[in-house]
Amino acid sequence: MRIEIDPSAANDPDAHPWLDRILYKIEDGWHVWDTAEPPDPGDMEATTWIRDRNRQGAWVRELLIKSVQRDAWTLAPHGRSVRVTAHPCTPEELTPEELTPENASRLADEPLWILVENRFSDGPFVEYVVKELDESLRILWDRPGDPIRIDSVGGKGQMPQEVKRRTSGKPYRPRLVAMIDSDRKSPDADASRDARRLRRACEKRDLPCWILAKREAENYLPRILLLARQDVGEDHERRVDAWDRLNDDQKNFFDMKDGLPDALSEVEQELFGELSPADQQVLSDGFGPNVDKCWTLRNVSAKKELTIRGQGDLEHGLELIRREI
């Protein structure tokens, strides 16, 4: 987060331990001390937090100077702004958020949680996308202490309740982004009921909710990752070639795990009815239940192909994550 510290807090001796805790997290690289919109640094240096605390004050002053120098060039990837003040205002539309030193410290201690359907399959997808497409997020992801973490709760149907549980009773908005498959089977279909319920739960609490534009996370896999799978049988390359002949809509809503059924539904007939019998046969088995393992292939760089397959939706998801970083 971008954390501003108001002199009203820095001149309150009771707030000093909370401000110190915030600086520990800033020093660890989880957040940045936002000095882009002063009070003048000289005003901050005159506060009791720095002036009357000897060696601890010297440490605070050193971090202040570093923060002023850093603010001259970048605050990326941090998108969420918090002002620490002794007298916070509470309007929901207030930007940045204003919090007491204690509440700001507790919020700064929280990692960013990305809530997904299944952390074992969707987690590698999110991590791969972050590390391939956003350098500043990748650096933050690898910081000590795991400032970005993935979690799930046993299924998409339980995600709205988990959002409610994690926000209940807190005096601030927690650091949380939810991501869910749309489960759409065609370009014109609506997102699933579970996805819509999750979106409503997040909107009610002003939390980002990323409903994937494609059917599932596996529909974002580029050819280079599909071909890099090992020990998948002799037919795998033929299946990748058949998949590669699909148009974008077909790739976006093809069931990557289970493939095409013998009898196509009306929606499937509209999308896949004109495939050659040979391609339809090759694609009938899909890529199997473990196709998501492609996201764990760390030695394969797929930035260009991933960007093309993402069709802008991956950048949208990254923006939602940066909103809460």
Side-chain angles (χ1 to χ4, degrees), residues 250 264 267-276 280:
Q250 292 167 333
L264 298 178
V267 169
E268 291 165 335
Q269 183 66 36
E270 185 174 344
L271 268 179
F272 303 105
E274 294 185 3
L275 294 184
S276 70
Q280 188 167 336

Side-chain angles (χ1 to χ4, degrees), residues 15-267:
H16 294 170
W18 298 112
L19 299 182
D20 288 349
R21 284 178 55 174
I22 292 171
L23 283 201
Y24 294 143
K25 286 300 184 184
I26 290 173
E27 196 170 38
D28 286 344
W30 283 36
H31 311 290
V32 292
W33 189 350
D34 189 352
T35 58
E37 296 294 335
D40 185 273
D43 293 341
M44 183 61 70
E45 290 189 52
T47 63
T48 58
W49 186 33
I50 295 178
R51 187 191 65 212
D52 299 342
R53 302 184 72 222
N54 301 319
R55 292 179 63 183
Q56 194 75 358
W59 167 68
V60 174
R61 183 179 182 276
E62 180 182 353
L63 285 182
L64 172 64
I65 292 172
K66 290 180 179 178
S67 296
V68 171
Q69 293 170 341
R70 186 212 58 253
D71 278 351
W73 55 277
T74 181
L75 289 169
H78 302 279
R80 184 167 176 179
S81 294
V82 171
R83 179 182 294 119
V84 188
T85 173
H87 310 291
C89 298
T90 57
E92 292 183 1
E93 69 275 8
L94 192 66
T95 303
E97 303 167 60
E98 292 193 349
L99 296 175
T100 65
E102 179 178 354
N103 287 338
S105 174
R106 296 192 185 283
L107 178 61
D109 279 341
E110 292 185 4
L112 173 72
W113 286 102
I114 302 177
L115 183 66
V116 298
E117 297 176 42
N118 185 323
R119 64 182 178 275
F120 300 110
S121 57
D122 296 319
F125 161 68
V126 175
E127 184 174 358
Y128 194 96
V129 169
V130 163
K131 293 187 174 182
E132 281 290 296
L133 301 186
D134 193 309
E135 176 69 11
S136 59
L137 272 178
R138 182 193 65 76
I139 292 171
L140 182 63
W141 191 293
D142 291 334
R143 292 281 188 190
D146 299 324
I148 304 176
R149 305 179 193 178
I150 304 287
D151 202 5
S152 57
V153 287
K156 63 188 72 178
Q158 299 177 41
M159 292 177 73
Q161 188 64 27
E162 181 66 7
V163 167
K164 181 179 180 180
R165 185 189 71 80
R166 291 187 183 221
T167 55
S168 180
K170 288 200 172 184
Y172 50 76
R173 189 177 82 248
R175 304 182 68 217
L176 179 67
V177 176
M179 188 205 84
I180 189 170
D181 293 337
S182 72
D183 291 327
R184 297 193 300 144
K185 296 182 179 180
S186 75
D188 299 325
D190 291 330
S192 70
R193 179 175 176 270
D194 286 324
R196 298 196 306 272
R197 286 181 58 235
L198 178 62
R199 179 171 55 201
R200 288 194 297 270
C202 290
E203 287 177 347
K204 184 176 180 180
R205 295 160 180 84
D206 194 27
L207 294 172
C209 179
W210 181 16
I211 300 178
L212 297 182
K214 303 180 191 296
R215 181 172 181 162
E216 298 173 322
E218 291 76 28
N219 292 98
Y220 294 81
L221 281 167
R223 176 185 174 90
I224 191 172
L225 287 182
L226 289 170
L227 284 176
R229 290 183 73 189
Q230 300 294 314
D231 304 320
V232 285
E234 297 178 358
D235 292 336
H236 180 70
E237 190 170 345
R238 285 199 307 122
R239 188 169 295 115
V240 173
D241 287 340
W243 168 87
D244 205 26
R245 287 190 286 271
L246 300 178
N247 63 38
D248 281 340
D249 282 346
Q250 292 167 333
K251 288 178 180 177
N252 292 347
F253 301 102
F254 173 64
D255 189 336
M256 294 288 287
K257 294 178 180 177
D258 295 332
L260 296 174
D262 292 335
L264 298 178
S265 68
E266 183 177 346
V267 169

